Amino acid sequence: MSSPPVSPTLRKNITGDIWGGFASMLVALPSSIAYGVAVYTLLGPEYVAHGVRTGIVGAIVLGVIATALGGAPRLISSPCAPAGAVLASLAGGLLADSAAPVSPEHIVALLLLLAVLSGGLQMLYGLIGGGKLIKYIPYPVVSGYLSAVGVLIFLSQLPKFFGVAAANVLAPSHWQIPALIVGAVTIAGVLLGPKLTRAVPATILGLIAGMLAYFATAWFRPELLQLEHNKLIIGPLGGGGSGVFAGITQVWPALAGLHAADLRLLVMPALTLSVLLSIDTLKTCVVVDSLTRSRHDSNRTLLGQGAGNLASACVGGMPGAGMMGATLVSVESGGNSRRAGMIEGASVLLAALLLGNWIAWVPVASLAGILLVVAVRMVDWGSFRLLRQKSTMLDFAVIATVVIVAVSTNLMAASGAGVGLAMLLFIREQIHGSVIRRKLAGNRISSTQHRLPEEQTVLEQHGAQTVVCELQGSLFFGTTDQLRTELEPDLRQCRWLILDLRRVQSMDYTAAHLFEQFEHTLAERGGGLIFSRLPARRDLQEYFAQVGVLKNQADPRKFATLDDALMWVEDRILAEQMPARAKDDAPPLGLADFDLLREFETDQTLAPFAPVVVERSYAAGEMIVRCGDTGQELFLVRRGVVRVMLPLKDGSHHNLASFGRGSFFGEMSFLTGAVRSAEAVATTATDLFIIDRKRFDAISHAHPLVGLKVFARIARTLSVRLRHTDTELRTFYDA
């Protein structure tokens, strides 16, 4: 049977991964060798070949293992500058210690163990979730880091582009014309190649054009065809075929000579190296995500990176990280999956074993030209638009600061500066954005408890005594002054301040002290501070209690819902303004006491109406009506409070209304005959009059005036309730 045909998309992806892996190998291989040589050349000329081997082996193992196991498919890992810096620092320090001289063989073993410890720590970071911390880096910092890396790559490649030492970049008389020609042709190939064909990545076209330009120039400059001591090309890889792996296993016997003191010596360098490599890797992932609109798994990336470094150390290779330059070259060349990284590692192996002579002829200026194009594209040129608006100038300042610090010091310092400025951005946003989401006077909002008309009138007259304020965001030293300023006019006249904290995300001691001041101010007028809907997060609730915001967990001024808080304040106002108002122990109302049946005694209609009424009592918490019931009763509250709730799918309830002494409920089913759409529960011990619709209809036929008066008063009550609801809805949207 013939195998199914490969889809064009898959074929294109595989081709892109091959080109991406090969192109990134051309960047990773020479740099890996350079880092290895930079570390081990400190031990003496005889260790230069060992440095070459560690760099090549590190590039091979990291390219395969870290990519296969990591959480960033496009990431290319290889030996890097932070690894070279830490290893060289340790080696140099040990060599310079005249008090306790260390042999080069012992230093090699220490460097190997350092790489092992670093890889293990990186895996530990991934297991405990340390990779998530990188997600909290703000975009201006990422943009600045991206631009800074672009600037640094650009500056670092200019000497190679001109074929001179870094000190002579600004001296045109020292520029190497062949290098300049090769670099310029390479850039032209990268930029113009896509206009000719898209079958081959632009970076590969540029590299081919650069190599052709180099050999064309060599036609006129025969000395360029010399492989040895030719600074314009990569040159011999060192070790050739089997020599690359010679002596790899010979470093392990040296570990037998290590002691506990050596392990203690490596603790801090291992921590430093593991953190630097982790941050370097994860920031490369963030940059790649920004360019490709993808997302990486930070913790899995650290696990894969640690496993790669551990495996590299086990076979004598250098540790490393996700390389910005190699990764970007791979992406630019079409690399889009793990295959690219694994092909990069395999390409390093093949280059070391088979293609050493060919790779040796790759012009350094050609690689520099490719990276110069990548660097220019990495800079976030669109960030300059932030200078047009005053409100975004601080964002630009963050980006510019990261770039300046990166160029003047290093990327680690730049990241720290960027995060510090990002904190200022956060504080600025919190200060500019109000922490008050909504503020209403008590005469514009009320609880869901239906009051008698005279009670509602009193609450509207004295509603200004109450202010309801819904807070949001973070309550900290940067926003407390704003909160005080916005509430100051209200605090001069109100007695009760209800703070709804459901949307509060954090709070510090400054905000807690401000709440204490509010309480003292309100207490002078016989009022106080009331909290509703405390944040669901337990850590915030505990902090509220610890700093004294909730001095007593049983304090009646802490309510689970805003409705409960409003109801409590309304009861306080009514108790003050209507002293004769019924107490909890007052006797139940009679039929004639209800507004619904007002004047029934005077026109002799109460007596014939009484037989349709049934008395019933309920204990606190007892269900009166269930959702879906088919009853058509009308309920009159003689004593107590009844709460009507709408059951939700998640098992919770939404409070629709509360009915107290003198009110009635159940009128919708009483009028329409439909099943109950909500539940009614006795909040306190409750006595009810219950009017059955069938009995009511029978009395209405015999005494039409009874039906007329009851329906008219139900209609009037419903219209008042709807009008009140309209007012609150308008207030809700206007606030």
Side-chain angles (χ1 to χ4, degrees):
M1 294 179 62
S2 60
S3 59
V6 180
S7 68
T9 301
L10 179 60
R11 185 183 298 111
K12 179 180 178 181
N13 291 338
I14 293 176
T15 302
D17 289 337
I18 292 174
W19 285 119
F22 180 74
S24 61
M25 177 272 293
L26 297 177
V27 175
L29 179 58
S31 62
S32 299
I33 294 174
Y35 295 135
V37 171
V39 173
Y40 288 95
T41 192
L42 298 173
L43 306 182
E46 64 274 20
Y47 284 92
V48 172
H50 181 75
V52 172
R53 288 194 296 268
T54 58
I56 293 177
V57 172
I60 294 171
V61 177
L62 282 169
V64 176
I65 302 297
T67 302
L69 302 180
R74 297 176 178 84
L75 189 67
I76 304 295
S77 298
S78 67
C80 60
V86 174
L87 295 179
S89 176
L90 177 62
L94 293 173
L95 289 172
D97 188 359
S98 58
V102 183
S103 67
E105 294 80 6
H106 195 65
I107 292 177
V108 170
L110 288 174
L111 296 181
L112 176 65
L113 183 57
L114 174 60
V116 171
L117 293 175
S118 175
L121 286 172
Q122 281 188 285
M123 295 184 69
L124 177 62
Y125 301 155
L127 288 173
I128 63 178
K132 294 180 180 179
L133 296 177
I134 197 69
K135 297 179 181 179
Y136 295 99
I137 296 181
Y139 181 74
V141 178
V142 175
S143 176
Y145 188 84
L146 178 67
S147 300
V149 170
V151 172
L152 289 176
I153 291 178
F154 188 89
L155 294 176
S156 67
Q157 297 304 311
L158 279 180
K160 299 175 182 178
F161 182 81
F162 294 121
V164 298
N168 297 322
V169 170
L170 300 180
S173 59
H174 291 81
W175 292 353
Q176 296 290 325
I177 300 301
L180 187 59
I181 293 174
V182 170
V185 171
T186 300
I187 292 176
V190 172
L191 298 178
L192 300 177
K195 297 182 179 180
L196 301 176
T197 178
R198 293 190 176 273
V200 181
T203 51
I204 303 301
L205 293 175
L207 181 61
I208 293 174
M211 293 188 69
L212 292 176
Y214 179 83
F215 287 108
T217 306
W219 182 269
F220 302 98
R221 301 273 298 268
E223 65 272 17
L224 297 181
L225 297 176
Q226 179 181 347
L227 186 62
E228 299 290 339
H229 308 294
N230 187 346
K231 296 182 179 180
L232 298 184
I233 58 176
I234 290 179
L237 298 181
S242 61
V244 171
F245 303 102
I248 284 180
T249 58
Q250 297 177 7
V251 298
W252 284 100
L255 293 177
L258 297 179
H259 307 286
D262 295 321
L263 188 61
R264 290 194 297 269
L265 175 67
L266 296 178
V267 170
M268 287 308 299
L271 284 172
T272 301
L273 181 58
S274 63
V275 170
L276 287 175
L277 296 182
S278 299
I279 292 177
D280 206 31
T281 297
L282 293 178
K283 286 187 175 178
T284 300
C285 293
V286 171
V287 170
V288 174
D289 286 350
S290 176
L291 292 174
T292 61
R293 298 193 182 110
S294 59
R295 295 196 67 178
H296 68 283
D297 185 335
S298 300
N299 293 324
R300 182 179 172 185
T301 297
L302 290 184
L303 283 170
Q305 201 68 36
N309 281 326
L310 196 58
S312 174
C314 289
V315 293
M318 271 193 72
M323 288 287 288
M324 184 74 69
T327 301
L328 293 177
V329 167
S330 173
V331 172
E332 288 282 334
S333 302
N336 197 44
S337 73
R338 301 181 192 277
R339 284 190 297 263
M342 300 177 71
I343 290 172
E344 180 269 342
S347 298
V348 173
L349 176 62
L350 289 175
L353 294 176
L354 304 174
L355 304 176
N357 293 334
W358 291 98
I359 300 297
W361 286 102
V362 173
V364 174
S366 187
L367 294 177
I370 293 173
L371 288 178
L372 286 176
V373 175
V374 172
V376 171
R377 290 174 176 173
M378 284 179 62
V379 175
D380 186 6
W381 301 103
S383 63
F384 287 97
R385 292 196 301 267
L386 300 175
L387 291 172
R388 299 176 183 175
Q389 303 292 333
K390 186 177 180 180
S391 60
T392 57
M393 291 185 68
L394 187 56
D395 298 271
F396 180 82
V398 173
I399 298 173
T401 300
V402 173
V403 174
I404 293 172
V405 174
V407 174
S408 60
T409 54
N410 54 63
L411 282 173
M412 297 301 299
S415 300
V419 171
L421 285 174
M423 294 178 182
L424 293 180
L425 284 178
F426 171 77
I427 294 175
R428 180 198 65 175
E429 292 302 321
Q430 293 296 319
I431 293 175
H432 287 180
S434 177
V435 293
I436 297 180
R437 186 171 186 266
R438 185 178 296 111
K439 184 176 68 173
L440 297 169
N443 53 6
R444 301 182 64 194
I445 186 174
S446 63
S447 70
T448 57
Q449 180 162 345
H450 290 280
R451 307 284 183 175
L452 297 176
E454 59 271 20
E455 293 176 335
Q456 190 63 43
T457 301
V458 170
L459 292 176
E460 291 176 358
Q461 291 174 349
H462 298 274
Q465 295 182 11
T466 306
V467 172
V468 179
C469 185
E470 182 182 356
L471 303 182
Q472 63 183 355
S474 300
L475 305 178
F476 69 113
F477 63 90
T479 57
T480 50
D481 184 68
Q482 172 208 105
L483 179 60
R484 184 202 305 271
T485 301
E486 294 193 36
L487 287 179
E488 191 171 6
D490 303 289
L491 290 171
R492 293 197 189 105
Q493 58 184 6
C494 75
R495 293 178 55 215
W496 303 102
L497 175 60
I498 301 176
L499 295 181
D500 188 8
L501 306 179
R502 182 170 64 97
R503 298 179 185 273
V504 171
Q505 299 171 351
S506 62
M507 191 188 82
D508 68 358
Y509 188 71
T510 305
H513 179 66
L514 180 64
F515 290 163
E516 187 177 356
Q517 292 179 324
F518 287 170
E519 172 65 25
H520 291 325
T521 300
L522 295 167
E524 293 175 355
R525 303 191 191 95
L529 185 62
I530 301 163
F531 297 101
S532 72
R533 296 195 291 185
L534 294 179
R537 292 171 50 189
R538 183 172 179 81
D539 58 336
L540 273 178
Q541 293 191 24
E542 292 177 350
Y543 182 73
F544 273 47
Q546 291 168 2
V547 299
V549 175
L550 302 174
K551 296 179 181 178
N552 181 5
Q553 291 294 328
D555 192 334
R557 296 186 187 176
K558 180 189 71 173
F559 297 94
T561 68
L562 177 60
D563 186 57
D564 290 332
L566 285 167
M567 196 180 303
W568 187 87
V569 173
E570 291 172 356
D571 287 340
R572 301 287 82 72
I573 294 176
L574 291 173
E576 293 173 358
Q577 301 300 324
M578 303 176 67
R581 182 171 170 265
K583 305 296 183 182
D584 292 339
D585 57 352
L589 296 176
L591 278 175
D593 298 321
F594 283 87
D595 184 67
L596 181 67
L597 306 177
R598 181 168 38 87
E599 299 175 354
F600 272 43
E601 280 187 317
T602 58
D603 56 14
Q604 305 300 315
T605 54
L606 185 60
F609 181 77
V612 306
V613 179
V614 177
E615 298 181 16
R616 194 173 299 167
S617 297
Y618 295 87
E622 188 175 354
M623 185 74 68
I624 300 173
V625 170
R626 294 186 181 276
C627 182
D629 285 354
T630 57
Q632 289 184 264
E633 298 92 353
L634 181 67
F635 301 90
L636 283 64
V637 183
R638 305 179 63 201
R639 181 176 67 93
V641 177
V642 176
R643 173 164 289 180
V644 177
M645 302 177 295
L646 183 67
L648 304 177
K649 290 183 179 180
D650 60 0
S652 61
H653 294 78
H654 173 68
N655 295 337
L656 292 176
S658 292
F659 298 90
R661 197 167 182 265
S663 300
F664 64 84
F665 64 94
E667 68 279 355
M668 301 305 293
S669 292
F670 181 78
L671 293 174
T672 65
V675 297
R676 305 287 184 183
S677 59
E679 297 177 346
V681 179
T683 304
T684 64
T686 302
D687 294 321
L688 301 176
F689 281 136
I690 302 177
I691 303 174
D692 181 77
R693 178 60 189 267
K694 292 181 179 179
R695 294 181 181 177
F696 175 80
D697 289 342
I699 291 295
S700 298
H701 282 96
H703 303 275
L705 184 59
V706 171
L708 179 64
K709 292 173 67 174
V710 169
F711 283 130
R713 285 171 186 173
I714 289 177
R716 179 182 178 278
T717 301
L718 289 178
S719 66
V720 172
R721 292 177 183 177
L722 287 174
R723 185 177 294 276
H724 184 69
T725 301
D726 290 343
T727 301
E728 289 200 344
L729 284 174
R730 186 178 298 107
T731 300
F732 175 81
Y733 285 107
D734 292 343

